[in-house]
Amino acid sequence: VQESFGNQSFRMERKTIDLEQGWDYMQTGITKLKRILEGLPEPQFDSEQYMMLYTTIYNMCTQKPPHDYSQQLYDKYREAFEEYINSTVLPALKEKHDEYMLRELVKRWSNHKVMVRWLSRFFYYLDRYFIARRSLPPLNEVGLTCFRDRVYNELHSKVKDAVIALVDKEREGEQIDRALLKNVLDIYVEIGMGQMERYEVDFESFMLLDSASYYSRKASSWIQEDSCPDYMLKSEECLKKERERVAHYLHSSSEPKLVEKVQHELLVVYANQLLEKEHSGCRALLRDDKVDDLSRMYRLYHKIAKGLEPVANIFKQHVTAEGNALVQQAEDTATNQAANTASVQEQVLIRKVIELHDKYMVYVVECFQNHTLFHKALKEAFEIFCNKTVAGSSSAELLATFCDNILKKGGSEKLSDEAIEDTLEKVVKLLAYISDKDLFAEFYRKKLARRLLFDRSANDDHERSILTKLKQQCGGQFTSKMEGMVTDLTLARENQTSFEEYLGNNPAANPGIDLTVTVLTTGFWPSYKSFDINLPSEMVKCVEVFKGFYETKTKHRKLTWIYSLGTCHLNGKFDHKPIELVVSTYQAAVLLLFNTTDKLSYNDILTQLNLSHEDLVRLLHSLSCARYKILVKEPSTKTVSQTDSFEFNAKFTDRMRRIKIPLPPVDERKKVVEDVDKDRRYAIDAAIVRIMKSRKVLGHQQLVSECVEQLSRMFKPDIKAIKKRMEDLITRDYLERDKENANMFRYLA
Amino acid sequence: MRRSSAASKKKSDSITSSTTDLFRSGPSKATSKEMDRIDHLFNQYANTSSNLIDPEGIEELCSNLQVPHTDIRILMLAWKMKAEKQGYFTQEEWRRGLKALRADTLSKLKKALPELEKEVRRQSNFADFYAYAFRYCLTEEKQKSIDIETICQLLDIVMGSTFRAQVDYFVEYLKIQNDYKVINMDQWMGFYRFCNEISFPEMTEYNPELAWPLVLDSFVEWISEKQA
């Protein structure tokens, strides 16, 4: 009888345990364990029993041969499981089905694990030395492998079917036992013993197939019945539920795969039909400003590779259509109405385009989460319709006129400073979409000149502000001339002060008329026609005096007088009352002739002033056939002809004490376009030479495309124009065509 | 009289000048007697004070050769001579040309013309001749382009027999268009390439995105519009 096991009894001679004998003893333990597992009334193992069992194994393994029974015990260990499985476990499982089977399986697996745990504790000694020595699988593994080979392999397919059936049931809205499924699927994972292969191959692959076909069926009927928003709602809901499913009982690694399948069936397969649905698809949603639905659309398609491309495309088409409609509207209104109201419509167009931009930018930022695809779509859409001509005016011109209207006096005085700043900001942003930026610059410059020279600028700060914005957007070169113009005006004011001082110090030089001169730096300002009109003597003196003053400041500059831009205040001594007339210098020159003579013929005036017919007719018309008839024309027809004669209209009067007699504006458009075309020719020449100088030899197509790219910041060069310039450069010996390859060009130093 | 191949290497004043002779006999091989005859012929047409054959002389030469004054063969002769100035042949140029043609009498010269034509029309020579024809018409020192009317005539002379259709259409186009008042060498050569590379009147191979001169782009466009 052995009393204690804690103390070493090695000094004592151990009694050899016979295999059969020992195994019988072990069997009692195993049976006890089985009874516990079966739920039969059986007390738990106490530590004494446990130690006995453990020691029995220990002894049988450490006995001297031929009584070292390690191998046999190892085999019997496995056989214990096999026996139990075959006799009890498997039959219990096989007689059940569906959910019942699943429950049984979970129970049996749990039991099995307990059994493995306990038996491997009993047989632990084998794990310590025997298995390592023989490179055999450890006890734990042996135990699990038994279950795998005998139970799992038999049943996994049936189990999988049962699980999937429950999943589909849940999908149809029924409640299922999620915890049960989780436990079942854990078996697949655990049975893999470190690898996910069993789970993936025996369950997941089937589950994915089933899910795909489930959603394929659903999708095919939903796509027929549901509107796009409803379909998207359902899809979103489905995806949400599937994610929940994973969280609750599938393995987490299934999530991306399952989501991909669901997305594919619901959103990819039917993408086209969904987006293009007649009354509720993407186009309709944009049309009806369904922001929420579009946001959902973005969320859904964002995760799908290239999923957003068709959406962005429809967005682009929609915006383009809206923009084109605005342009067409303006065009139609312009052709139907008289000229002056048409220009108002054009200004309305710009406002509407700005609003359109604001509206859809909100979509890009909010619905479409600032995604680059949508920024690009918006940009491309605007580039399409922002470059259309309306009633003969290019968009560049319209935009410049729009700016002029904001910046000039009487233009937008009702708007707050903030609103003006905001509008200017938006206008500059629109400029980015216009390809003929150089054309805009030229129109802007012309109108700026007019505002500056005729004191029609409403607010200096706004003038500077827009120039800063333009500079930021288009670079310093774009605004350098304009900035020069603004500076000139500032300097001109200082200059005027000096001039007045000079006159004060030289009373003899005083011309007797208040004279203000603005000196413009050539190059900054647009070019103006200036030719020698025969000025009245009073004005001649003014010119001389100023020249004298100017020479005291610098001898290196030449002054060229631009009388066409001058303004004159005359006192008209009419019979009724004197009225101050604000006229152009030319008009003044005409009127002053009547100081010495009462009546003059057209030809008299022509000869005396030395003007062209075109100019003279315009002048005389403004003074005799327009609103204020300062001169009486004989005969009093509506237009001026070369046989007419003119007389001072002493009877003229008006309720105002000062009136402005405007000259009809000359159409500057033609000249601007000509000037810009000329500048473009130089720009193209320069670009070609620059490129060829650095590359030395280049193929035609490459040269053209590099040229286009270099110039794209200012305008989109016509391919024909580039070819023409190249031809010219060939004639001027800057380039030559390669002798062997007619498509290559060479730079000639 | 038959000759052995060995004997044909020697100088001969046989009237028949074979093709091979034209190749092998270069200027360096003329005898002094030949040169005298060549000079003698020169003097018959040259203006005594300037010592050049001037337009009048050329006209006379043409009538003696029984070749129209505006015939391409005269231009070919000028090419052979590498004559620099239109309407004039210098003595050096005359010598050069006639030596190369092995022609020291008028009748030999006349008989040499068909062979000359064949030589010029060889693919390897024609491009050179075509370019030469353009340069030949540049009369002023810094002149780079030729007026439309002259070009039209020149095209007719130089390319009329080989590319009749193209020349007729192009000439018609040049006369009605307003973009160009003159044609430069690059455009001139472009037309030659056009005739050789592009089928006419289908013009399917023509691609305006390549480096064809713009005038040809417009020409092709004009034809397409006409055909539509």
Side-chain angles (χ1 to χ4, degrees):
Chain A
V1 173
Q2 291 168 300
E3 288 194 6
S4 77
F5 307 96
N7 302 329
Q8 290 318 307
S9 331
F10 295 118
R11 291 188 214 117
M12 279 166 62
E13 188 67 31
R14 260 188 0 228
K15 190 167 161 224
T16 307
I17 305 173
D18 172 33
L19 179 61
E20 208 178 308
Q21 195 192 348
W23 186 249
D24 281 344
Y25 182 69
M26 293 309 295
Q27 216 32 54
T28 61
I30 293 169
T31 308
K32 181 180 169 75
L33 181 58
K34 286 196 266 192
R35 283 175 60 82
I36 294 172
L37 293 176
E38 290 294 321
L40 295 170
E42 181 71 46
Q44 290 292 324
F45 285 98
D46 59 41
S47 53
E48 212 180 292
Q49 290 165 311
Y50 168 70
M51 279 314 267
M52 281 292 290
L53 291 161
Y54 177 88
T55 312
T56 308
I57 295 296
Y58 173 81
N59 287 340
M60 287 202 276
C61 289
T62 51
Q63 287 170 172
K64 294 211 173 36
H67 302 296
D68 56 338
Y69 296 120
S70 297
Q71 180 66 57
Q72 294 91 321
L73 288 173
Y74 185 75
D75 293 335
K76 281 197 181 300
Y77 168 82
R78 192 186 62 250
E79 282 160 20
F81 288 107
E82 288 172 359
E83 189 278 322
Y84 181 56
I85 287 170
N86 286 340
S87 65
T88 316
V89 177
L90 256 184
L93 283 167
K94 282 190 165 163
E95 72 184 11
K96 297 192 172 62
H97 305 283
D98 310 314
E99 203 168 325
Y100 301 102
M101 173 191 56
L102 296 181
R103 285 192 201 289
E104 187 66 30
L105 178 66
V106 169
K107 186 180 100 179
R108 291 292 167 185
W109 169 249
S110 171
N111 284 354
H112 183 81
K113 285 192 279 186
V114 168
M115 190 172 170
V116 170
R117 199 178 320 129
W118 279 94
L119 287 190
S120 60
R121 281 179 191 165
F122 299 157
F123 287 70
Y124 178 58
Y125 194 75
L126 287 173
D127 256 350
R128 284 201 68 190
Y129 297 105
F130 177 68
I131 61 145
R133 242 185 283 140
R134 304 282 182 95
S135 301
L136 290 166
L139 293 179
N140 193 57
E141 195 180 317
V142 172
L144 293 182
T145 312
C146 280
F147 192 92
R148 183 192 68 196
D149 295 343
R150 286 172 189 270
V151 180
Y152 176 86
N153 283 352
E154 277 286 312
L155 295 173
H156 70 73
S157 184
K158 216 172 140 198
V159 170
K160 167 259 299 173
D161 289 338
V163 172
I164 288 179
L166 284 172
V167 168
D168 282 342
K169 230 168 134 186
E170 191 184 41
R171 284 180 175 145
E172 287 299 308
E174 287 189 48
Q175 287 253 18
I176 61 166
D177 186 345
R178 288 177 149 181
L180 170 63
L181 288 193
K182 179 149 181 45
N183 289 331
V184 171
L185 293 177
D186 281 346
I187 298 176
Y188 283 84
V189 176
E190 287 170 54
I191 215 84
M193 293 191 274
Q195 304 286 348
M196 284 299 289
E197 208 187 327
R198 299 270 57 83
Y199 173 83
E200 284 170 9
V201 173
D202 300 333
F203 171 73
E204 194 188 58
S205 58
F206 295 98
M207 181 274 291
L208 291 173
L209 269 172
D210 172 78
S211 305
S213 95
Y214 177 84
Y215 282 107
S216 171
R217 280 193 307 279
K218 290 288 174 188
S220 66
S221 77
W222 289 346
I223 198 72
Q224 305 289 342
E225 297 157 3
D226 294 327
S227 69
C228 173
D230 286 342
Y231 186 97
M232 289 199 296
L233 267 165
K234 283 185 179 163
S235 300
E236 201 173 49
E237 192 59 34
C238 288
L239 284 165
K240 178 162 160 248
K241 289 227 156 72
E242 293 301 323
R243 287 203 170 87
E244 272 173 31
R245 180 156 295 116
V246 174
H248 281 111
Y249 52 85
L250 299 177
H251 190 266
S252 60
S253 63
S254 292
E255 184 171 330
K257 301 175 206 173
L258 181 57
V259 164
E260 192 268 323
K261 281 265 183 266
V262 176
Q263 267 175 188
H264 181 80
E265 294 304 327
L266 288 176
L267 300 171
V268 173
V269 169
Y270 291 105
N272 206 42
Q273 275 166 274
L274 180 64
L275 297 175
E276 298 279 354
K277 255 187 188 271
E278 176 103 36
H279 303 292
S280 64
C282 189
R283 240 174 276 276
L285 296 175
L286 284 167
R287 203 184 50 220
D288 299 334
D289 295 323
K290 300 279 189 213
V291 173
D292 289 335
D293 293 325
L294 288 165
S295 301
R296 178 165 300 111
M297 189 179 275
Y298 176 82
R299 283 198 301 276
L300 289 172
Y301 280 94
H302 175 57
K303 302 193 191 107
I304 296 173
K306 299 196 177 209
L308 288 175
E309 278 171 29
V311 183
N313 218 15
I314 295 177
F315 178 67
K316 176 176 158 187
Q317 286 169 19
H318 175 79
V319 175
T320 309
E322 297 257 298
N324 279 337
L326 289 180
V327 170
Q328 189 58 51
Q329 209 178 58
E331 180 81 43
D332 291 340
T333 323
T335 46
N336 293 339
Q337 296 182 1
N340 47 358
T341 50
S343 62
V344 170
Q345 282 308 312
E346 287 147 26
Q347 298 307 297
V348 166
L349 171 64
I350 300 286
R351 265 247 172 255
K352 286 191 178 162
V353 170
I354 291 178
E355 280 164 21
L356 191 75
H357 191 258
D358 286 344
K359 175 177 174 187
Y360 286 105
M361 187 50 95
V362 169
Y363 273 75
V364 173
V365 170
E366 293 181 6
C367 280
F368 304 125
Q369 302 293 310
N370 248 324
H371 196 280
T372 41
L373 257 183
F374 290 89
H375 274 290
K376 186 163 165 253
L378 187 70
K379 171 172 169 294
E380 286 173 6
F382 270 76
E383 279 172 357
I384 293 174
F385 67 80
C386 281
N387 286 299
K388 295 204 162 169
T389 314
V390 179
S393 306
S394 61
S395 54
E397 187 184 347
L398 290 180
L399 205 58
T401 313
F402 187 77
C403 291
D404 188 53
N405 284 336
I406 296 179
L407 294 162
K408 73 181 184 198
K409 283 181 181 163
S412 54
E413 250 121 42
K414 302 180 199 99
L415 296 175
S416 69
D417 273 348
E418 242 177 64
I420 295 178
E421 270 296 299
D422 189 60
T423 309
L424 292 178
E425 181 93 34
K426 300 208 161 116
V427 164
V428 173
K429 283 218 171 75
L430 266 192
L431 184 60
Y433 301 123
I434 292 182
S435 41
D436 289 345
K437 294 178 180 52
D438 57 348
L439 196 57
F440 168 82
E442 197 52 29
F443 276 114
Y444 186 86
R445 203 162 69 111
K446 275 233 136 79
K447 292 175 200 284
L448 173 65
R450 205 166 287 284
R451 288 198 300 279
L452 293 174
L453 294 176
F454 299 115
D455 191 27
R456 293 228 272 268
S457 181
N459 183 315
D460 266 356
D461 290 334
H462 290 314
E463 293 280 359
R464 283 197 190 278
S465 161
I466 190 177
L467 288 183
T468 313
K469 293 185 212 297
L470 285 171
K471 190 168 169 177
Q472 262 173 349
Q473 176 133 313
C474 306
Q477 228 195 2
F478 192 82
T479 51
S480 60
K481 289 183 188 167
M482 301 169 197
E483 287 176 326
M485 284 160 68
V486 174
T487 314
D488 269 358
L489 262 287
T490 316
L491 288 176
R493 276 180 226 126
E494 288 167 19
N495 212 28
Q496 182 64 21
T497 318
S498 308
F499 179 55
E500 280 161 19
E501 256 176 51
Y502 170 87
L503 289 178
N505 297 335
N506 297 291
N510 201 312
I513 306 176
D514 287 336
L515 173 67
T516 311
V517 179
T518 312
V519 179
L520 313 176
T521 312
T522 324
F524 289 161
W525 295 78
S527 54
Y528 294 104
K529 264 193 310 182
S530 108
F531 49 86
D532 288 327
I533 178 176
N534 283 342
L535 287 177
S537 54
E538 302 94 319
M539 296 189 191
V540 173
K541 178 132 204 256
C542 291
V543 170
E544 290 302 321
V545 166
F546 189 81
K547 219 168 132 203
F549 157 72
Y550 195 71
E551 271 160 17
T552 67
K553 303 191 79 197
T554 168
K555 289 213 188 334
H556 303 296
R557 305 278 172 83
K558 178 173 170 237
L559 286 175
T560 306
W561 293 82
I562 307 176
Y563 303 115
S564 54
L565 296 177
T567 312
C568 225
H569 293 239
L570 297 177
N571 279 325
K573 300 209 165 81
F574 301 102
D575 288 346
H576 186 81
K577 72 175 196 220
I579 300 181
E580 188 181 326
L581 305 171
V582 180
V583 292
S584 73
T585 307
Y586 287 167
Q587 285 165 316
V590 170
L591 291 174
L592 286 171
L593 290 176
F594 290 89
N595 273 354
T596 47
T597 331
D598 287 333
K599 190 165 174 171
L600 287 165
S601 74
Y602 177 91
N603 283 316
D604 289 335
I605 303 173
L606 184 74
T607 331
Q608 290 207 42
L609 293 182
N610 192 30
L611 287 168
S612 71
H613 285 293
E614 203 187 318
D615 287 322
L616 187 57
V617 165
R618 245 177 89 232
L619 287 170
L620 288 171
H621 184 98
S622 71
L623 296 168
S624 63
C625 305
R627 185 175 168 195
Y628 302 113
K629 295 179 173 49
I630 312 296
L631 297 175
V632 176
K633 186 169 82 79
E634 207 180 300
S636 61
T637 50
K638 291 218 161 62
T639 53
V640 172
S641 64
Q642 297 189 20
T643 50
D644 292 342
S645 54
F646 301 84
E647 207 175 327
F648 176 66
N649 186 5
K651 301 256 180 300
F652 175 80
T653 194
D654 190 272
R655 62 185 180 89
M656 304 295 277
R657 277 189 302 153
R658 174 204 282 184
I659 55 178
K660 198 159 171 234
I661 307 184
L663 271 174
V666 193
D667 181 17
E668 44 189 30
R669 182 188 302 156
K670 206 168 121 201
K671 178 142 200 297
V672 168
V673 171
E674 266 171 32
D675 285 345
V676 168
D677 278 343
K678 202 164 72 169
D679 287 340
R680 283 180 180 181
R681 284 201 288 276
Y682 293 138
I684 297 175
D685 277 358
I688 295 174
V689 170
R690 205 170 30 239
I691 295 166
M692 290 307 296
K693 197 166 173 185
S694 96
R695 312 290 229 102
K696 304 280 184 255
V697 181
L698 199 56
H700 173 81
Q701 272 141 318
Q702 237 184 311
L703 176 57
V704 170
S705 75
E706 278 193 34
C707 203
V708 168
E709 217 212 288
Q710 272 199 21
L711 297 167
S712 64
R713 289 184 70 226
M714 289 302 276
F715 66 98
K716 209 156 90 168
D718 183 26
I719 306 297
K720 286 196 174 174
I722 297 180
K723 262 202 178 181
K724 194 120 204 261
R725 297 323 304 153
M726 279 170 68
E727 279 184 352
D728 197 66
L729 289 169
I730 291 173
T731 312
R732 282 149 63 195
D733 289 327
Y734 278 88
L735 301 180
E736 68 175 0
R737 200 184 285 265
D738 186 86
K739 305 249 182 311
E740 320 289 299
N741 181 350
N743 270 307
M744 292 283 256
F745 290 91
R746 234 169 245 294
Y747 181 66
L748 294 171
Chain B
M1 221 176 109
R2 294 229 166 177
R3 321 197 142 257
S4 68
S5 53
S8 67
K9 284 194 177 114
K10 280 197 281 191
K11 273 281 130 266
S12 82
D13 27 359
S14 159
I15 286 169
T16 55
S17 47
S18 67
T19 325
T20 45
D21 271 352
L22 272 171
F23 264 124
R24 277 190 279 120
S25 61
S28 53
K29 295 215 178 155
T31 61
S32 57
K33 254 187 146 182
E34 275 182 351
M35 197 50 76
D36 285 344
R37 284 197 284 273
I38 287 174
D39 285 344
H40 177 71
L41 202 54
F42 179 76
N43 292 327
Q44 283 188 292
Y45 297 102
N47 178 314
T48 39
S49 48
S50 60
N51 201 38
L52 295 167
I53 300 182
D54 61 15
E56 257 181 54
I58 291 183
E59 225 178 300
E60 210 189 316
L61 173 67
C62 287
S63 99
N64 289 351
L65 287 172
Q66 289 167 322
V67 165
H69 171 64
T70 50
D71 193 278
I72 193 178
R73 288 170 286 177
I74 298 302
L75 194 51
M76 291 178 174
L77 184 61
W79 173 78
K80 197 68 184 166
M81 293 182 193
K82 300 196 207 294
E84 283 193 16
K85 192 163 172 187
Q86 189 187 47
Y88 295 87
F89 295 146
T90 65
Q91 182 155 27
E92 195 184 321
E93 290 164 357
W94 180 263
R95 280 178 173 181
R96 183 187 295 132
L98 270 70
K99 254 191 265 179
L101 292 173
R102 305 300 318 276
D104 52 4
T105 64
L106 188 68
S107 64
K108 278 194 207 167
L109 182 57
K110 187 166 172 182
K111 291 212 171 91
L113 291 181
E115 280 306 323
L116 173 61
E117 189 166 348
K118 256 203 226 152
E119 182 193 347
V120 171
R121 289 204 185 279
R122 256 195 291 273
Q123 190 74 333
S124 48
N125 288 328
F126 197 78
D128 187 64
F129 171 69
Y130 182 82
Y132 173 82
F134 185 88
R135 286 195 300 274
Y136 195 63
C137 292
L138 299 171
T139 50
E140 308 305 312
E141 204 194 301
K142 294 242 172 95
Q143 192 182 355
K144 293 265 178 68
S145 315
I146 298 175
D147 65 277
I148 294 290
E149 208 185 307
T150 310
I151 287 286
C152 290
Q153 289 169 1
L154 197 61
L155 278 172
D156 192 50
I157 295 174
V158 175
M159 301 279 268
S161 51
T162 37
F163 297 105
R164 184 80 261 151
Q166 288 93 319
V167 168
D168 283 347
Y169 273 93
F170 194 47
V171 160
E172 188 188 334
Y173 175 70
L174 286 176
K175 289 190 173 152
I176 62 159
Q177 57 80 39
N178 289 318
D179 295 324
Y180 297 94
K181 305 245 182 321
V182 293
I183 296 291
N184 66 24
M185 174 65 98
D186 187 67
Q187 291 160 318
W188 172 256
M189 293 312 291
F191 182 73
Y192 179 70
R193 273 190 301 125
F194 177 83
C195 290
N196 280 306
E197 292 174 26
I198 307 290
S199 60
F200 198 83
E202 302 84 12
M203 302 185 294
T204 42
E205 312 90 337
Y206 192 85
N207 180 357
E209 286 184 20
L210 296 177
W212 293 103
L214 191 57
V215 65
L216 289 176
D217 290 347
S218 312
F219 171 55
V220 169
E221 225 178 276
W222 173 78
I223 295 188
S224 310
E225 274 161 31
K226 256 170 89 100
Q227 287 172 343

